[in-house]
Amino acid sequence: VGDQVIYWSNAEGSYNLWKINLDGSNRVQLTFDQETGLQTGDQNLLVNAAASWSVDGKRIYYVIGGDIWVMDSDGYNPETVLLGHKALCPFLSSDGKIVYFISDLDDAVKNLWALTVSDKTLKKLTDYTDWNIGSPSLSSDGKKILFNLYRANTSQVYTVSAEGTDALNISNNNRSLCPKFALKDRKIIYCAYGTGEDVALNMFIMNNNGTEIKPLTTEGGSSPSWAPARILSIAPISIPATTTTPAPSLPTPVGSISNPSK
């Protein structure tokens, strides 16, 4: 699994899931939905409707038409996990017992939810009312969820605990999105829009508390994902130094987090 990528493509006319090797070989279509499986409003960087692998790499969790499905990594044996919840961006806990996802079923905005696999128990983890959660993912230790919080033309990087508590605003430039943990959760890589006449997306890296921001690209870049340590040991990244930016002091300046006991 480590040398394969799953992705959405409309190469055959409608959006479906595909799998391909990192060297570009063995491109395989995994789903065959006649209607487009990825709605127009979900085909953007703020939301990110990526599918995710199971912990052992044998199964793939994904969303079709707002329903969560799981199938074998070769595309066979699809089965429903959750129906009728307007779900997006499913991803698994490190122990494989919980499927996290975002949904706007009960709200005008997208919030974070958790589904216990064993008994199908649902739990709403956040309760934002005028900001959306997008591009969520889990830290390697399973303790934090990383995402961008956005509305209109404003997007910030946030973390919450795996229980939906302790919201922390990591970025403070109003233009940050598509975050991913890096270097065993010590760093965060993300992309951000420029200002003035230069509004292109570029990639950056920072400490997991928002300090020591450094650019990774200056010629454009988006949707970063950290490479395995074995690759980085062969070709370490050289990062130009820039001015350190302090992390925001307010943990939750927008929206609100629901009481996890409810």
Side-chain angles (χ1 to χ4, degrees), residues 40-204:
T40 302
D42 303 329
Q43 300 168 21
N44 64 70
L45 293 171
L46 289 171
V47 174
N48 183 356
S52 63
W53 298 92
S54 64
V55 177
D56 59 11
K58 294 180 178 180
R59 311 206 80 190
I60 294 171
Y61 286 79
Y62 61 103
V63 163
I64 293 286
D67 302 327
I68 300 178
W69 289 71
V70 63
M71 62 183 169
D72 295 343
S73 60
D74 58 6
Y76 288 96
N77 301 315
E79 59 184 86
T80 56
V81 176
L82 179 66
L83 295 176
H85 214 85
K86 298 176 66 177
L88 278 172
C89 310
F91 59 102
L92 285 172
S93 60
S94 53
D95 59 10
K97 295 180 179 180
I98 297 175
V99 179
Y100 297 98
F101 62 96
I102 59 175
S103 172
D104 58 358
L105 179 68
D106 293 341
D107 308 293
V109 297
K110 292 178 175 65
N111 272 292
L112 187 66
W113 291 71
L115 171 71
T116 303
V117 175
S118 60
D119 60 8
K120 305 299 183 181
T121 301
L122 278 167
K123 182 179 179 181
K124 187 178 177 183
L125 298 181
T126 64
D127 194 26
Y128 290 106
T129 58
D130 55 355
W131 292 77
N132 295 273
I133 287 181
S135 302
S137 60
L138 194 66
S139 60
S140 60
D141 62 9
K143 294 181 178 180
K144 290 185 178 181
I145 298 173
L146 181 68
F147 56 93
N148 56 270
L149 196 67
Y150 70 94
R151 68 179 180 188
N153 295 322
T154 299
S155 180
Q156 298 282 32
V157 173
Y158 269 70
T159 62
V160 294
S161 73
E163 293 75 33
T165 61
D166 304 322
L168 180 64
N169 186 190
I170 304 298
S171 65
N172 61 358
N173 63 5
N174 296 324
R175 305 182 309 277
S176 299
L177 56 153
C178 298
K180 293 287 184 182
F181 279 110
L183 281 174
K184 295 183 178 179
D185 305 334
R186 296 194 304 271
K187 298 282 187 177
I188 292 173
I189 50 177
Y190 65 102
C191 56
Y193 290 99
T195 58
E197 295 183 358
D198 180 16
V199 294
L201 276 171
N202 273 292
M203 295 186 295
F204 298 81

